[in-house]
Amino acid sequence: SLPCGARGRVPAGTCRQVTAEQLRARGNALFQAGDHGAALAAYTEALSLSDAAPERAVLHRNRAACYLKLEDYTKAEADATKAIEADGRDVKALFRRSQALQQLGRLDQAVSDLQRCVSLEPRNKVFQEALRALGSSMHEKMKTMSCTDSKVEQMFQILLDLDEKDADKKQKAAQNLIVLAREEAGAEKIFQSDGVRLLSQLLDTAKADLMLAALRTLVGLCSGHRSRTMAILAELGAPRLSAVLGVEHEQVSLAACNLLHVMFDSLKEGLQKDFRGKEDAVVLDSSRDLKLLIKHLLELLVLEGASAHGRDNALNLLIKVVPRKSPKETNNSMSLWVIDQGLKKILEVGSTVCGSLGSLPVTENSRMSTSVLLSKLYEDLKCDAERENFHHLCEDYVRSWFEGHELPGKLRAIQTVSCLLQGPSDAGNRVLELEGIMDSVLSLCASVCEAHQLVAVEALIHAADKAKRASFITANGVSLLKEIYKHSERDSIRIRALVGLCKLGSAGGTDFSMKQFAEGSTMKLAKQCRKWLCNEAIDAGTRRWAVEGLAYLTFDADVKEEFVEDKAAMQAMFHLAKSEDRSVLYAVASTLVNCTNSYDHEEPDPQMLELAKYAKQHIPEQHPKDKPEFVKRRVRKLLMAGVVSALACMVKSENPALTNACRELISRVFLALVEEAEDRGGVVAQGGGKALIPLSLEGTEVGQTKAAQALAKITITSNPEMAFPGERIYEVVRPLVSLLHLQRTGLENFEGLMALTNLAGINERLRQKILKERAVPMIEGYMFEEHELIRLAATECMCNMAMSKEVQELFLAEGSDRLKLMVLYSGEEDEKLRRAASGTLAMLTALHPPICKRIPQVTVHWLEILQALLLSPSAELQHRGAVVVMNMMAAAREVAEQLIASEMLEILSVLAKDKDKP
């Protein structure tokens, strides 16, 4: 295919543009003459002179064609991608990229681009033929790879050959092995070809690249196959896998973590792939293997030689695999076993005081991960006896350090209390009440040693927002914290003391009339927090506490207003949110929820207000700066400061700090950001659409609903294919269908229907996905809704769904009133509803002729309704009526006779002469 370009006239005075146009024309001529190198040079020069985005996209597309001819496929792919980024519907760029990807061996991505080409131009024979050829070549490639033992042996020989110096050759062999293992036939071939022993040898080399290849190949072998997983575990051994998890190399440790996660899933689920052939007769019990793996993970937590990130990965794995996935599962024996066997080991990590003699290597995320794991284990307990056992084990552990270990022991005990307060706070409160603990916390707050003071002040802060202790701390701690804040010379201590004051000072929440501090002091604290946040000389771990302070202080609308005016402070906070220290996520999300007012607030009942005034009860007051116009302006400021990219980065985090509660806060913020239609394009462009999908599928019910509603708003006003490119658009269906459930609000129902209408109009695969999610009965239900907008949205959605054969058949089902409803709605007074219903009839009668015969049987008013459509002042309704009548005339003689016997012929004769309505 030849490079193309717009042939248009250029306005006078745009000299640079003319030059770029001339260069492009010269490039086109050179390309057609076969001089691809010179054509490339012309397009490149034109690019340097062009600023217009559409023209640059065309030039990138043309350069991709040159690179394909010059066989530089990497650059061809890069240039085609730039053209696609400018216009996702550019079929020429998509086709060129697919050709480049095919040559680079990335066949799955090439197929994806070709499928997109075919969906955009279904009748293009070139695209259809290319897709068919690529599909068969992929099949052949897989067949060849899976049938040939020598291929597998060859790959292992290259990888295990110590004399082989060609790095590219080794990398290609490793990549081929990983790709082969992803297919069931390939995975089985590697397994049968003594692959596990050879992969074990790769792990023994202690070379990071070879270890990564081995671990990623093992992932393919274990995925969804319990018996293979058990065999691999028996061959490699749990101690060895645990040791690889604890290595210093971060990527290797992460790959080992991924492998262990896949092994856990396969051992737990025992997917259907297992039960074939000889395995049918074998009963596999994997519970022993599961416990063995978990036992070694628990031992890794306290192993001195294990790396800090290896320890974090072990904690993350335990969080994912030990607690039950849902309360519907009745068996919590794994959590009980872990509590009995390993609770003290988990607390060892939580009680570690960084920098103290002989302490375990930990990261800034370790304590947060420990708190999350403890919390998950505690939530998984089912009865008081189980919870009492948990409390006793925690109390025994704290006592063991607090009594008889001098100062270092007391510090470990206090650090454990902090860890528990951040996790299962019930357990934290219980240990806080142990004799001497609170006194030690208060006395160590005045310590001259910075490390000791840090531990005590943090414990005091974590205790401050727990209801049981808050009143005690308000009485005893405020004066102490003020003293530390005013007189300490260390910023790390002052910043923590300030957070304690912020927590105690924000007890009134958003209630303007309930202020704890004197007028203006909240603003002073917030100003100091912003100052510390922007001070890059202070370490990130300490600056995180400034965000914690703002999370509490931004309940005050004056603080919110000042914060969004301070662009440097906002960007410093976003930068922290993207950093390695994930423990800051919740504080950032809380601050943003406060600034966008995206928390739940119910409007008080006016009668109840009057009663409250009469009874002299406290009435919550809204701050004047929390009115909608202020919130709207704050949202705009946050968007300009780059809030979306920070939120997208937070969602990508695979860290335990991204709890379900944290996900809900992020979903609330996203919903506030897409409230105004004009902001939605920017949110999508910065990765907001992509980030919302996982938020809508996992987390609290409220969080999932808020994220789904944000997706609906984007889908309603944007082109869904641009907002959710490629396969991502199919992932949006389930969250949108969830908005149709009866427990959702009317607005959520309406927006879900509107968004599904847009998706249903795109292609058959999307309509099939909507059908598969069982949305059609819910859509039909809303067609009977009293609220006219919801009824209209449901009818419009059904109109687009009617393009599917399965939906057409539903209108002919015995005992169904679906068709009758559509005919009657076509005669309603509401013009928009008539348009949607008559449009559905026009489509149904065209695509499924048997429906034409059924229409006269469903209601005696069918003729007058069709005549009313044709006599309507609206050309759109007349057009729909004419199409229905035409389809019915063509469908069956008896229907045609009924139409002609009426006044239809006269009406049609009049309309046929109307030259204003072609």
Side-chain angles (χ1 to χ4, degrees), residues 361-415:
V362 289
T363 70
E364 59 269 24
N365 294 314
S366 302
R367 184 136 56 91
M368 175 57 83
S369 299
T370 308
S371 294
V372 173
L373 175 56
L374 290 167
S375 190
K376 294 261 185 192
L377 290 171
Y378 189 75
E379 285 165 13
D380 208 32
L381 302 177
K382 294 195 290 187
C383 63
D384 288 345
E386 290 174 0
R387 283 186 276 273
E388 203 54 43
N389 176 51
F390 188 95
H391 289 311
H392 282 314
L393 289 169
C394 291
E395 287 168 10
D396 290 346
Y397 181 81
V398 171
R399 275 200 206 95
S400 72
W401 277 112
F402 194 72
E403 295 164 5
H405 273 90
E406 303 300 327
L407 186 58
K410 285 185 169 52
L411 288 168
R412 290 288 293 262
I414 293 169
Q415 191 80 305

Side-chain angles (χ1 to χ4, degrees), residues 590-648:
S590 300
T591 306
L592 293 171
V593 164
N594 291 342
C595 288
T596 55
N597 282 36
S598 45
Y599 38 72
D600 290 326
H601 36 82
E602 292 177 21
E603 290 299 320
D605 181 348
Q607 283 183 312
M608 295 307 288
L609 278 180
E610 288 305 315
L611 280 171
K613 281 178 189 169
Y614 178 73
K616 295 185 179 172
Q617 286 184 347
H618 170 69
I619 300 160
E621 288 178 32
Q622 188 189 38
H623 195 291
K625 288 182 182 172
D626 272 334
K627 291 197 166 90
E629 61 270 24
F630 284 92
V631 176
K632 192 173 169 182
R633 199 162 59 234
R634 288 202 293 266
V635 166
R636 199 56 55 82
K637 291 263 171 69
L638 286 165
L639 284 167
M640 286 162 65
V643 68
V644 178
S645 60
L647 289 171

Side-chain angles (χ1 to χ4, degrees), residues 74 91 252 256 282 308 337 343 378 403 416 457 567 574 622 665-666 697 708 718 727 759 785 810 891 897:
T74 306
V91 285
V252 172
V282 183
W337 185 80
L343 185 63
Y378 189 75
E403 295 164 5
T416 310
V457 172
K567 195 172 181 181
F574 299 155
Q622 188 189 38
L665 295 180
I666 295 171
L697 297 171
S718 315
E727 291 298 300
L759 292 187
E785 176 69 42
L810 291 174
E897 284 172 348

Side-chain angles (χ1 to χ4, degrees), residues 812 819 841 844-846 848-857 862 884-892 895:
L812 287 175
L819 189 58
L841 284 181
L844 286 169
T845 52
H848 205 52
I851 285 173
C852 298
K853 289 185 189 177
R854 183 66 71 85
I855 288 174
Q857 299 165 21
W862 69 279
V884 175
V885 173
M886 182 175 74
N887 293 335
M888 290 177 74
M889 286 290 292
V895 178

Side-chain angles (χ1 to χ4, degrees), residues 9-20:
R9 293 185 61 188
V10 179
T14 51
C15 195
R16 257 178 86 181
Q17 195 79 352
V18 172
T19 313

Side-chain angles (χ1 to χ4, degrees), residues 470-518:
S471 55
F472 171 82
I473 290 163
T474 308
N476 297 276
V478 171
S479 55
L480 177 62
L481 288 169
K482 281 184 178 174
E483 198 63 29
I484 294 169
Y485 176 62
K486 284 177 184 169
H487 301 297
S488 177
E489 291 172 12
R490 305 184 190 102
D491 278 347
S492 59
I493 301 291
R494 291 185 68 219
I495 204 166
R496 284 162 172 80
L498 181 141
V499 172
L501 291 170
C502 295
K503 279 192 177 188
L504 296 167
S506 62
T510 55
D511 181 357
F512 179 48
S513 59
M514 286 275 287
K515 287 297 155 217
Q516 302 283 317
F517 290 156

Side-chain angles (χ1 to χ4, degrees), residues 636 673-682 713 717-718:
R636 199 56 55 82
L673 296 177
V674 298
E675 189 57 44
E676 301 298 321
E678 62 265 30
D679 296 332
R680 292 169 196 168
K713 286 179 187 288
T717 53
S718 315

